[in-house]
Amino acid sequence: MIVLIVVWFMLYQYIDHKVDYLNNFTYKSYRISQEFTSNIKNFQTFLLTGYKEDEFYLNHSQKDLKLYIDNLKSQKKEIDLMFKESKELNIGSNPTMTAVLKKIDHLYTIVNQFKEIAFIRGFKDYGIEGVMRTQAHFLEENTTLNKITLLQFRRHEKDYLLRSDETSIKKFEDLFFLTLKEKNIDAPTKQVFIDYKNNFDALVKLSTQLGVSENQGLYGEINQINGFIENSFVQIISHNKKRINDLKETLFYVQLCQTLFMILIAMLLCIYISKYFTKDIQLLSLDISNYIKSNFKESSSDLKHNSSIREVDFLLKSYGILKEKLSENIIFLEKKTEQANKIAAFKTQFLANMSHEIRSPLNGVSEC
């Protein structure tokens, strides 16, 4: 019985301990999920204002983007620890965890690619956009290129930078080829003009690779991975909650069966103990009944004057002594009764003889 109680308690402790671990694991998953979602804001801040800062182009680093990348590293480590912990907890096959690890590695690589391309693309005085601006100023100040034509180029360039639409690209290209046919453009101007067009093509290519305005390219892939990871955390948390509920349900039914089994064992033990402890009492009761029925003559008994219970053993021994004393007293009284009966008979015989002897002389006198 004690073993069953110990097993019951150990099983309860094991499952309860595992449920606590799963609760902590779920909390970690939720916390990392919230941190990951909050970290996306750092990347969005970089896209809004960070890429425009001089620090990004002078030091090849920007605080919001750096914070985003550093957080990705730490979150990757935490997710890796969670993955190992999930194996230790024997949570079960959870391919979502494996997918998240791969995706966050891929996300880290893509973000660094995005950073490099954004750095090359530039803004205002930096990168390709800066080079185009310098070339536009050169064409505006040092060449014979029509100022109105140059303003049209600048307008198409700005339209593309604002909207990234195909129309602006086509207008820029059409104007370029049309202007290139003019005969009054000298060789230096033509070369700068061609370089300006090549840089615009490079700017378009890099912008397409970034894909910020169209939610395509690297930006679209980053958003897709972010969404996948966020949904994966939802699945992981849901999976853990289901495991917790399954464990609690298993604990309930196992302990219910174990408790019912313990109750059955307790009842059987009670019956056995009751019979064991009352066996000598029952024999004593039967012996007393037989002894009374034999009119206190039967002295033989099946009773053993030894019992594992001290009180019952004392009672049996006391009963044996009482029975012996009672038997001795009965024998003594029977002898005394027999002796008294003999005396009474002798007295009766004596009185009868005396009466006869007295009556005989008296009868003779009366006859005279």
Side-chain angles (χ1 to χ4, degrees):
M1 188 67 181
I2 295 174
V3 173
L4 287 174
I5 294 173
V6 170
V7 171
W8 185 92
F9 181 75
M10 290 179 64
L11 180 64
Y12 174 82
Q13 286 290 97
Y14 169 75
I15 296 182
D16 186 64
H17 192 60
K18 193 164 185 177
V19 167
D20 286 340
Y21 265 120
L22 281 170
N23 281 326
N24 291 331
F25 186 80
T26 303
Y27 171 75
K28 288 180 184 178
S29 303
Y30 179 78
R31 177 180 56 80
I32 295 174
S33 173
Q34 294 299 308
E35 290 176 355
F36 182 82
T37 302
S38 298
N39 192 37
I40 294 175
K41 295 178 182 178
N42 293 320
F43 184 71
Q44 297 295 339
T45 303
F46 168 75
L47 293 179
L48 289 173
T49 58
Y51 78 96
K52 300 177 181 179
E53 296 176 4
D54 295 340
E55 178 189 7
F56 177 62
Y57 301 100
L58 295 175
N59 301 321
H60 199 53
S61 176
Q62 195 274 332
K63 58 181 181 179
D64 297 305
L65 185 60
K66 183 178 183 302
L67 181 61
Y68 176 75
I69 293 174
D70 290 342
N71 287 339
L72 278 182
K73 290 180 181 178
S74 62
Q75 287 162 8
K76 167 66 171 58
K77 292 179 180 179
E78 287 188 288
I79 293 172
D80 190 50
L81 290 174
M82 281 179 58
F83 182 72
K84 293 178 181 177
E85 190 175 353
S86 68
K87 289 184 176 179
E88 293 174 359
L89 289 173
N90 194 22
I91 291 176
S93 178
N94 191 356
T96 308
M97 288 289 295
T98 307
V100 168
L101 282 172
K102 291 180 179 179
K103 286 292 184 181
I104 205 164
D105 275 336
H106 188 48
L107 178 62
Y108 179 78
T109 302
I110 290 177
V111 169
N112 279 291
Q113 290 178 0
F114 188 96
K115 172 186 174 182
E116 295 301 323
I117 293 175
F119 180 82
I120 296 171
R121 181 189 179 281
F123 177 75
K124 284 191 176 179
D125 297 327
Y126 303 101
I128 293 178
E129 188 173 336
V131 172
M132 288 183 65
R133 187 176 185 183
T134 301
Q135 290 172 339
H137 288 166
F138 176 82
L139 292 173
E140 181 180 352
E141 296 173 0
N142 302 315
T143 66
T144 58
L145 189 66
N146 190 308
K147 305 301 181 185
I148 297 176
T149 302
L150 185 59
L151 288 174
Q152 287 177 333
F153 275 111
R154 296 290 287 168
R155 187 187 70 185
H156 297 325
E157 177 190 341
K158 297 300 180 183
D159 286 344
Y160 174 76
L161 293 176
L162 290 174
R163 293 188 288 270
S164 298
D165 57 335
E166 293 293 332
T167 303
S168 301
I169 298 174
K170 189 174 186 313
K171 287 182 178 180
F172 188 96
E173 290 178 347
D174 291 343
L175 184 61
F176 171 77
F177 290 115
L178 182 64
T179 305
L180 199 62
K181 294 178 181 179
E182 294 181 3
K183 297 179 179 181
N184 58 341
I185 300 178
D186 54 23
T189 301
K190 187 175 182 181
Q191 185 59 49
V192 173
F193 187 55
I194 292 173
D195 292 340
Y196 179 70
K197 169 63 169 60
N198 291 335
N199 285 326
F200 179 78
D201 291 340
L203 182 70
V204 171
K205 182 179 179 180
L206 294 175
S207 297
T208 303
Q209 289 179 346
L210 294 176
V212 176
S213 58
E214 304 91 354
N215 194 22
Q216 296 177 354
L218 293 177
Y219 178 72
E221 193 170 355
I222 289 171
N223 284 338
Q224 185 179 4
I225 294 174
N226 286 336
F228 175 83
I229 293 175
E230 287 179 313
N231 291 332
S232 297
F233 274 115
V234 172
Q235 294 176 19
I236 291 169
I237 293 170
S238 176
H239 176 79
N240 293 338
K241 288 181 177 178
K242 184 178 181 301
R243 283 286 296 155
I244 291 171
N245 291 333
D246 290 344
L247 279 173
K248 288 181 177 179
E249 186 176 354
T250 301
L251 175 63
F252 172 77
Y253 285 112
V254 168
Q255 290 192 320
L256 177 63
C257 294
Q258 197 171 6
T259 303
L260 293 175
F261 182 69
M262 288 170 63
I263 292 172
L264 178 62
I265 294 296
M267 291 176 64
L268 293 174
L269 283 174
C270 288
I271 294 171
Y272 172 77
I273 291 171
S274 175
K275 288 184 177 181
Y276 177 78
F277 284 110
T278 59
K279 178 179 64 176
D280 293 332
I281 302 296
Q282 290 174 351
L283 291 174
L284 177 61
S285 176
L286 181 62
D287 191 79
I288 292 173
S289 177
N290 292 333
Y291 189 56
I292 294 172
K293 288 179 181 180
S294 68
N295 200 18
F296 306 101
K297 298 294 183 181
E298 181 64 44
S299 60
S300 62
S301 173
D302 295 331
L303 286 175
K304 296 178 181 179
H305 296 286
N306 290 308
S307 176
S308 58
I309 306 171
R310 186 174 59 183
E311 290 78 6
V312 175
D313 185 62
F314 177 76
L315 181 61
L316 291 174
K317 289 180 179 179
S318 299
Y319 170 69
I321 295 171
L322 177 63
K323 192 174 180 181
E324 290 176 3
K325 294 292 183 183
L326 183 59
S327 297
E328 291 175 1
N329 290 333
I330 290 173
I331 293 171
F332 175 76
L333 289 174
E334 285 178 345
K335 289 181 179 180
K336 290 294 182 182
T337 302
E338 183 180 357
Q339 189 178 8
N341 288 335
K342 288 180 179 180
I343 293 172
F346 177 76
K347 285 181 179 181
T348 303
Q349 186 66 35
F350 175 77
L351 290 174
N353 291 335
M354 288 299 294
S355 175
H356 177 71
E357 292 295 332
I358 292 172
R359 274 198 313 272
S360 295
L362 286 177
N363 286 337
V365 173
S366 63
E367 287 178 359
C368 293

